[in-house]
Amino acid sequence: MPPTEKASISFQLQSICSHNRDQKAYLQRFDVSSDDLAELGKDRSREAMITLFKTYIKNSQSAFGSDDVEDPDEMKIARSLVEDVVDRLECDEKTSAGAGEEGAGLSSERKKVMGDHMETAAAVLTTILLRSSPEIGITNDESELEHRMKTFGSNVITVKKMTSFWVLCWKAVQDFVLIMLIVMGILTLSVETTIGLGDKEKCGNCWLESFAILTSVCIVVLVTASIDYGKQFAFQRLSKSLDERNTKSVIREGEHLVVTDANIAVGDILSVNTHSLASVSADCILLGPVMDLKMDESSLTGESHAVKKKAGDVILSGTNAIQGSGKMVVIAVGANSVAGKITAHVYESEDVKTLEGDAETPLYKKLDKLAKQISVAGTSAAIFAFVISTAIGLGHHKEDWKAIIDYFVLAITVLAVAVPEGLPLAVVLALAFSSNKMMGENNMVKSLDACETMGCVSYYRKWRT
């Protein structure tokens, strides 16, 4: 791109930027949405940039009318600049498509021109679409920050509401083994204290066995719920501590300010260099000029090699600058950014739909299977004992039919003995011990179930992507 043409576009953008500040255009409705910008961060291509500009053109025409006499002159100039950028990018897209993979057939001069077009596109996106400025950024006015966060979202992942203690108790009692123990405890208590007694026989300590079963269930439920409930507070304290320490350098009103990640808004200009090694907390578009900037994207892509960035490239959230420096404009924050989506899923945020996974861990699947096998075996033994006792007592010894009650009590006793009431408590105590040991190694465990999940892994394979 000729220097004179580049200077002309820069002058027009500065004029539009001054107009936006004078008229407080940054408080008006934006012609692109957070979803449109997030799509650019997701696709990261020239074609996605073209689509975003066309969306702006369509929305701005709908707002003022393509030939409306009330359409401000600055708006016409802005739309004309965007249309010119779209034409250049579409021409570059066709040229790249015919030049083979990675532009092998392009000359170095043509690549430089295409790079200038992407740099201009980034400046136009910043100034016109986001009503910011590559040089001085947005204002530090609270009303502008509030308007931008209301329109494009805030750079905060909405924390999932804490699960109440009683809900955790209800979830803990859904285990098949515990349900079986509860049924057996109630059934044994009912039989032993009613039909299991003789005519003048007193209960005495007949309730102790069933009471012990139900008590063990209560202990398991309360221990599991208490530990999980306490973990929620620990995670909240950890998240709050990290949020307060994560700060970035932004340019607002021409000054470099240090703000927390939560105060970063779409349109902010981030200043990144290799000295800070701070993780980029939002999806951004790199602005020119670039000082040999290379990013470490291994946390997202698994690629161990540093990726060299040019003006107009998308800088993903969660990546780090390991060489050079540069300025970039924020286009997506919070759950709209790439890393934000991952974080939202990990913390089960209300900003995203919860991913469906396995409801049970491997250990509890094995326990359920064991409990079902025990219940089948115990029930079979109880039925067998009842049938044999009835046949011998009533058929061979000619006992009174009331003796069938004693046979039924015997069958219930056989079934109660078969149920391992100490197994759930032993499992919960083992997991609680493992959880505390992992916390001692700075490994936070959000749920007791997670302590044993990785223990069932036989093979762990990793690839770079």
Side-chain angles (χ1 to χ4, degrees):
M1 181 181 294
T4 54
E5 186 177 358
K6 198 171 184 179
S8 175
I9 294 176
S10 178
F11 176 78
Q12 293 180 60
L13 291 177
Q14 290 178 4
S15 175
I16 293 173
C17 180
S18 300
H19 175 268
N20 289 340
R21 291 180 178 275
D22 294 340
Q23 301 297 322
K24 292 188 175 182
Y26 47 77
L27 297 179
Q28 299 175 8
R29 182 183 68 88
F30 286 89
D31 293 315
V32 290
S33 66
S34 58
D35 292 336
D36 299 327
L37 294 168
E39 193 63 30
L40 174 59
K42 177 182 177 182
D43 201 354
R44 305 190 296 277
S45 64
R46 187 187 290 107
E47 186 177 355
M49 181 82 79
I50 295 172
T51 301
L52 179 65
F53 283 135
K54 287 184 175 180
T55 300
Y56 164 82
I57 295 171
K58 179 181 178 181
N59 293 339
S60 63
Q61 287 176 341
S62 300
F64 292 99
S66 56
D67 299 317
D68 197 333
V69 294
E70 297 181 358
D71 191 355
D73 291 338
E74 294 295 336
M75 181 61 71
K76 292 180 180 179
I77 295 174
R79 200 157 55 227
S80 175
L81 275 175
V82 174
E83 291 172 349
D84 181 61
V85 168
V86 169
D87 291 338
R88 295 175 187 270
L89 293 181
E90 286 182 336
C91 180
D92 293 343
E93 185 71 14
K94 293 178 181 178
T95 303
S96 298
E101 187 176 356
E102 298 183 359
L106 296 176
S107 64
S108 57
E109 182 179 353
R110 182 55 185 168
K111 287 182 180 179
K112 184 179 182 306
V113 171
M114 293 171 67
D116 291 341
H117 291 170
M118 287 299 295
E119 182 177 343
T120 301
V124 169
L125 184 150
T126 304
T127 305
I128 299 178
L129 275 66
L130 300 181
R131 296 170 192 161
S132 180
S133 169
E135 290 77 23
I136 60 178
I138 63 176
T139 67
N140 208 23
D141 187 3
E142 287 294 331
S143 58
E144 178 178 2
L145 293 175
E146 183 179 350
H147 177 60
R148 288 181 179 274
M149 290 182 181
K150 184 178 179 180
T151 303
F152 301 111
S154 60
N155 199 28
V156 175
I157 302 299
T158 304
V159 179
K160 182 182 179 182
K161 293 182 180 179
M162 286 185 58
T163 306
S164 69
F165 178 77
W166 301 112
V167 172
L168 291 174
C169 288
W170 175 253
K171 290 182 177 180
V173 84
Q174 300 304 308
D175 182 62
F176 180 79
V177 178
L178 295 181
I179 294 175
M180 185 172 63
L181 288 174
I182 293 173
V183 172
M184 284 306 308
I186 295 174
L187 184 60
T188 304
L189 182 63
S190 302
V191 171
E192 293 287 353
T193 57
T194 54
I195 62 176
L197 298 176
D199 293 337
K200 295 183 180 180
E201 186 181 357
K202 293 183 179 180
C203 177
N205 296 328
C206 66
W207 52 271
L208 282 178
E209 182 178 353
S210 55
F211 179 76
I213 294 175
L214 295 176
T215 301
S216 67
V217 171
C218 291
I219 293 175
V220 170
V221 171
L222 291 176
V223 169
T224 303
S226 299
I227 293 176
D228 288 345
Y229 192 66
K231 298 296 182 184
Q232 294 183 107
F233 286 102
F235 268 84
Q236 279 194 348
R237 290 194 298 268
L238 178 61
S239 299
K240 185 177 180 180
S241 175
L242 291 175
D243 291 340
E244 292 174 350
R245 288 184 296 177
N246 289 338
T247 58
K248 301 293 182 293
S249 175
V250 300
I251 301 176
R252 291 180 181 173
E253 297 182 351
E255 298 180 358
H256 285 266
L257 303 176
V258 176
V259 299
T260 61
D261 289 348
N263 289 324
I264 294 176
V266 170
D268 259 324
I269 306 299
L270 294 185
S271 179
V272 178
N273 57 67
T274 186
H275 301 291
S276 62
L277 287 176
S279 174
V280 178
S281 57
D283 291 347
C284 305
I285 295 291
L286 187 60
L287 302 172
V290 182
M291 303 299 179
D292 193 27
L293 182 64
K294 290 185 178 180
M295 303 295 296
D296 177 14
E297 298 182 346
S298 59
S299 59
L300 293 178
T301 64
E303 182 59 61
S304 58
H305 299 292
V307 181
K308 187 174 182 179
K309 294 295 183 177
K310 305 184 294 294
D313 287 348
V314 175
I315 306 297
L316 296 175
S317 52
T319 59
N320 300 281
I322 60 175
Q323 179 178 315
S325 61
K327 295 187 300 182
M328 53 194 72
V329 60
V330 176
I331 62 171
V333 295
N336 293 317
S337 64
V338 174
K341 288 185 175 69
I342 299 174
T343 304
H345 282 301
V346 170
Y347 287 94
E348 299 178 345
S349 171
E350 298 175 357
D351 295 330
V352 295
K353 294 181 180 179
T354 304
L355 294 175
E356 294 184 359
D358 292 338
E360 296 180 337
T361 60
L363 176 61
Y364 279 93
K365 287 182 179 179
K366 293 178 181 179
L367 288 178
D368 283 349
K369 183 179 179 181
L370 177 62
K372 291 176 182 178
Q373 291 174 344
I374 291 174
S375 64
V376 171
T379 303
S380 302
I383 294 174
F384 179 78
F386 178 75
V387 171
I388 295 300
S389 299
T390 303
I392 295 175
L394 299 184
H396 185 267
H397 295 293
K398 306 297 181 180
E399 294 182 357
D400 189 83
W401 64 270
K402 292 182 179 180
I404 197 171
I405 296 176
D406 296 330
Y407 306 148
F408 181 72
V409 173
L410 175 63
I412 294 299
T413 303
V414 172
L415 184 58
V417 170
V419 177
E421 59 269 14
L423 179 60
L425 180 59
V427 171
V428 169
L429 292 178
L431 293 179
F433 176 77
S434 300
S435 173
N436 291 331
K437 187 174 181 181
M438 293 174 73
M439 285 187 64
E441 298 175 355
N442 296 324
N443 192 349
M444 293 289 291
V445 180
K446 192 174 183 181
S447 174
L448 279 182
D449 298 351
C451 292
E452 52 83 21
T453 302
M454 287 303 294
C456 295
V457 175
S458 301
Y459 297 95
Y460 179 70
R461 297 181 180 181
K462 184 179 73 171
W463 187 239
R464 64 178 185 175
T465 54

